[in-house]
Amino acid sequence: MRAFVITAPGEAGVREVEPPEPRPGEVIVAVERVGVCGTDMELFSGTMSYLHTGQAAYPLRIGHEWAGAVCATGDGVDPSWLGRRVTGDTMLGCGRCARCAAGRGHVCADRYEIGIRGGRPGALAGRLPVPVTALHPLPEPVGPALGALVEPGGNAMRAVRSAELSAGERLLVLGPGTIGLLVAQIAAARGVEVHLLGLTASSLAFARSIGFEHVWTRETLPGLRYDAVVDASNAPGLPALAVDLVEPGRRVVFVGLAGTPSLVDSRAVALKDVTVVGVLGASAGLAETVELYASGAVDPRPLVAATVALDEVAAVLAGRRRPDWGDAPKIHVDPRR
């Protein structure tokens, strides 16, 4: 089958590889749609931290935001999975340690991450092997594009939950990229007043185009009470700003990652009695995200600028975008093309 393979920093292409066979407890998914995210770009450029800690190594087959249909099942798997449209968890714990037993498999020390960590192949290929325990069925209203947006949506869902806001309260989201906009959409669907802080005119204009009125730069941000702040950016200076801006006694959520360390003054956290929450992965937010998309209360499909073929992925990872794609932040791949 055809698969997208990264062989070294900045070097990648489509190769013919052996198709997977299902192991016991696994299914094989015929992939229909895959999202490209910032982690994929870091793996391509060589800057992703796992490459420097030994948790990932070239050659790499990326792709962890995906949707498809089960086309084969391994021993011990209910054959009723065949033909079902699914997405799945990226974080695959060992299933044996205390963290996995406590439901925290996404932080298992021995976890695999599909398309990212431990050599587990990703979805930028014709077929993807997945443990049946990681699958989430997709109902009819959740087509390929929505299905491939479940994983980033699960991260956003966890961030919104962690903010602990009620309808009518005010949320500030730092970074109007895919995750930030998903946070904004989910929070708005819950009746929260959403404000977005961005950097570029194009990203701010896009946020306005999908219905967000309160969109600011650092210079124009009004001095309001922000009942929670979610940092969905990759800017090392914004975590400290989030702590500075949040209402005392409330919550800051970090779901974005900078390429260099971020400095936060713990005195500010303590003296404001702020709760700081970090979010890693979508695991605990996937099922609710599927239900939310199926209900129609949130439709993130406008966030997808284009759907490209497998042989266009290297250009996307290098940051090259066609002008006709517009300013939507997400690029999808149809590996069948």
Side-chain angles (χ1 to χ4, degrees):
M1 68 176 183
R2 298 169 73 239
F4 183 79
V5 183
I6 305 174
T7 54
E11 297 180 10
V14 179
R15 293 187 172 186
E16 289 290 334
V17 303
E18 287 296 317
E21 294 290 336
R23 299 175 181 175
E26 281 189 346
V27 305
I28 303 299
V29 174
V31 183
E32 298 172 338
R33 196 66 53 88
V34 186
V36 176
C37 85
T39 299
D40 298 319
M41 299 181 82
E42 291 178 359
L43 290 166
F44 176 73
S45 67
T47 58
M48 205 278 181
S49 62
Y50 286 178
L51 292 166
H52 306 284
T53 59
Q55 297 170 78
Y58 300 115
L60 270 168
R61 286 169 48 190
I62 60 173
H64 60 278
E65 304 175 2
W66 57 269
V70 176
C71 61
T73 58
D75 291 343
V77 176
D78 187 335
S80 68
W81 280 104
L82 278 172
R84 298 181 73 178
R85 296 189 55 262
V86 295
T87 188
D89 200 345
T90 298
M91 318 295 267
L92 309 178
C94 71
R96 301 179 302 274
C97 69
R99 293 176 191 171
C100 288
R104 299 195 304 275
H106 65 295
V107 291
C108 169
D110 296 324
R111 72 185 180 276
Y112 293 97
E113 297 179 23
I114 289 176
I116 302 174
R117 188 181 194 261
R120 186 89 190 191
L124 282 174
R127 301 286 186 269
L128 175 70
V130 188
V132 69
T133 53
L135 295 181
H136 286 262
L138 296 177
E140 187 63 32
V142 182
L146 281 175
L149 286 161
V150 168
E151 197 279 340
N155 282 273
M157 177 68 72
R158 291 191 62 214
V160 172
R161 283 185 198 153
S162 297
E164 293 194 354
L165 291 168
S166 300
E169 293 190 306
R170 184 178 295 120
L171 169 66
L172 177 62
V173 181
L174 310 182
T178 299
I179 299 294
L181 291 171
L182 285 164
V183 167
Q185 287 186 312
I186 294 169
R190 297 184 172 197
V192 172
E193 180 187 311
V194 176
H195 292 245
L196 287 143
L197 178 71
L199 183 63
T200 67
S202 59
S203 67
L204 298 177
F206 179 76
R208 292 190 188 96
S209 76
I210 61 170
F212 292 104
E213 176 185 355
H214 307 298
V215 179
W216 316 102
T217 64
R218 183 67 186 93
E219 293 71 29
T220 64
L221 183 70
L224 301 173
R225 183 197 76 249
Y226 297 106
D227 300 302
V229 181
V230 173
D231 178 17
S233 76
N234 60 3
L238 289 191
L241 180 64
V243 172
D244 287 343
L245 293 174
V246 74
E247 176 74 0
R250 301 305 297 266
R251 289 183 162 234
V252 169
V253 182
F254 296 142
V255 68
L257 290 174
T260 56
S262 303
L263 299 179
V264 175
D265 190 341
S266 62
R267 294 171 298 181
V269 173
L271 292 172
K272 293 183 71 174
D273 199 26
V274 170
T275 299
V276 178
V277 182
V279 170
L280 174 68
S283 303
L286 293 171
E288 189 175 355
T289 301
V290 171
E291 292 175 4
L292 186 67
Y293 292 175
S295 75
V298 169
D299 184 359
R301 286 174 294 186
L303 276 56
V304 180
T307 301
V308 303
L310 203 58
D311 59 8
E312 298 176 78
V313 173
V316 170
L317 293 172
R320 297 195 290 275
R321 290 173 62 108
R322 296 201 293 265
D324 59 300
W325 289 352
D327 297 319
K330 176 63 68 176
I331 303 297
H332 274 180
V333 182
D334 184 342
R336 301 167 296 184
R337 292 167 49 185

